[in-house]
Amino acid sequence: MNKREYLDCLERLLADLPQEERLEAIEYYSDYLEEAGPDGEQEAMRKLGSPEVVAAAVREGLGSNGNEGSWTETGYERWEPRFDAPAKQTDSDRREHRKLRILWGLLAIALLLFLKLPFLSVLGTILIAALIVVAVLRRS
Amino acid sequence: MVFNTGATLLDAIVLAVVSQETEGTYGYRITQEVQEVLGVSDSTLYPVLRRLQKDDCLAVYDRECAGRNRRYYKLTERGYSQLRLYQSEWLSYSAKISGILASGRRKG
């Protein structure tokens, strides 16, 4: 396969991509093979791998942020944990926090009822309790 | 020996390599330089360069060279900040890994 055939094949393999992406990729690999010079062309194509391999690499880069796999000497392999992002607060963490807050709210209500503050009627206590519950739920 | 290289680390390495030339550098050279450090295949670099370009960490410009066009990549402001971030993150991460590996005992 010569350079022209290689690039034509690659272009066909990328036909379903948006035009800009396809053109960028072809331009890159065309420049790349030219860089190798007429004598180095075959070797460069061999080192790149088949057009299928190159097309897969292009797709892989576009499909995700590339963070679903990793590169080894034998090629791209799926999934490796990233080293950068610290663990974010998970949903279960949030639920735990929420439960804690509700618990505190209920404790506050229980305390109020227990104290039976003289200037508060029963209705007043219930109203304050309701306000506390709403405030707690809003914050969580 | 092979340690797998994640996308993030590869991004960091590519940014570091490109940053070495104030005028930037081109795909073929970038590939060769990265391959001096990592055993990645030749087709690996394009998707990384493309993604860094779309993330505005790299800018491209064309340069006429011996009658043909050559596309150069160079770091943007954001690229430089990102590189600094990767450098500090790597220092702390690699220190942790080195520490834990060094604490591994021999059999006996």
Side-chain angles (χ1 to χ4, degrees), chain B residues 12 25 28 30-31 39 43-44 63 66 83 88 91 98 102 104-105:
Chain B
T25 179
Y28 193 80
I30 298 169
T31 305
S43 58
T44 299
R63 205 189 256 189
L83 177 58
S88 67
L91 278 174
S98 298
R105 291 180 185 284

Side-chain angles (χ1 to χ4, degrees), chain B residues 4 6 24 28 35 43-45 48 50 54 75 102:
Chain B
N4 289 9
Y28 193 80
Q35 283 176 330
S43 58
T44 299
L45 272 303
V48 178
R50 182 72 185 143
K54 281 154 73 170
L75 262 69

Side-chain angles (χ1 to χ4, degrees), chain A residues 20-21 23-36 44 47-49 53-54 57-58 60-62 64-75 77 79-85, chain B residues 1-12 26-29 31-32 35 38-51 53-55 60 62 68-71 73 86 89-90 93:
Chain A
E20 187 189 345
E21 290 302 331
L23 291 175
E24 286 286 322
I26 299 297
E27 172 156 4
Y28 179 89
Y29 287 108
S30 171
D31 282 358
Y32 192 92
L33 291 175
E34 276 220 37
E35 216 45 72
K47 284 174 71 185
L48 273 179
V53 164
V54 171
V58 173
E60 202 69 65
L62 293 174
S64 57
N65 283 329
N67 283 328
E68 286 164 12
S70 62
W71 285 270
T72 67
E73 286 163 12
T74 51
E77 284 172 15
W79 211 68
E80 182 200 298
R82 293 174 56 156
F83 74 77
D84 56 348
Chain B
M1 202 198 158
V2 175
F3 288 98
N4 289 9
T5 308
T8 312
L9 187 52
L10 198 47
D11 282 2
Y26 52 99
Y28 193 80
R29 277 291 314 278
T31 305
Q32 287 180 319
Q35 283 176 330
L38 294 175
V40 290
S41 69
D42 288 50
S43 58
T44 299
L45 272 303
Y46 171 72
V48 178
L49 291 168
R50 182 72 185 143
R51 185 177 62 245
Q53 188 189 344
K54 281 154 73 170
D55 286 346
V60 292
D62 292 325
R68 32 170 295 265
N69 205 29
R70 208 187 237 171
R71 173 151 290 182
Y73 295 85
Y86 282 141
E89 290 281 322
W90 174 254
Y93 174 72

Side-chain angles (χ1 to χ4, degrees), chain A residues 14-129:
Chain A
L14 299 177
D16 61 323
L17 292 186
Q19 188 182 45
E20 187 189 345
E21 290 302 331
R22 186 171 57 255
L23 291 175
E24 286 286 322
I26 299 297
E27 172 156 4
Y28 179 89
Y29 287 108
S30 171
D31 282 358
Y32 192 92
L33 291 175
E34 276 220 37
E35 216 45 72
D39 295 331
E41 209 172 270
Q42 285 299 322
E43 174 70 3
M45 285 190 280
R46 192 190 61 78
K47 284 174 71 185
L48 273 179
S50 68
E52 285 77 11
V53 164
V54 171
V58 173
R59 277 176 208 291
E60 202 69 65
L62 293 174
S64 57
N65 283 329
N67 283 328
E68 286 164 12
S70 62
W71 285 270
T72 67
E73 286 163 12
T74 51
Y76 185 77
E77 284 172 15
R78 292 249 128 208
W79 211 68
E80 182 200 298
R82 293 174 56 156
F83 74 77
D84 56 348
K88 286 198 206 129
Q89 194 185 41
T90 63
D91 280 325
S92 63
D93 285 338
R94 272 193 283 269
R95 265 182 264 128
E96 283 304 312
H97 284 150
R98 199 162 186 257
K99 276 187 219 158
L100 261 168
R101 286 200 164 108
I102 291 174
L103 214 61
W104 279 116
L106 287 171
L107 265 169
I109 292 164
L111 195 66
L112 270 173
L113 290 171
F114 179 71
L115 289 175
K116 282 197 277 254
L117 298 164
F119 55 88
L120 280 179
S121 67
V122 175
L123 265 163
T125 311
I126 291 172
L127 189 67
I128 291 176

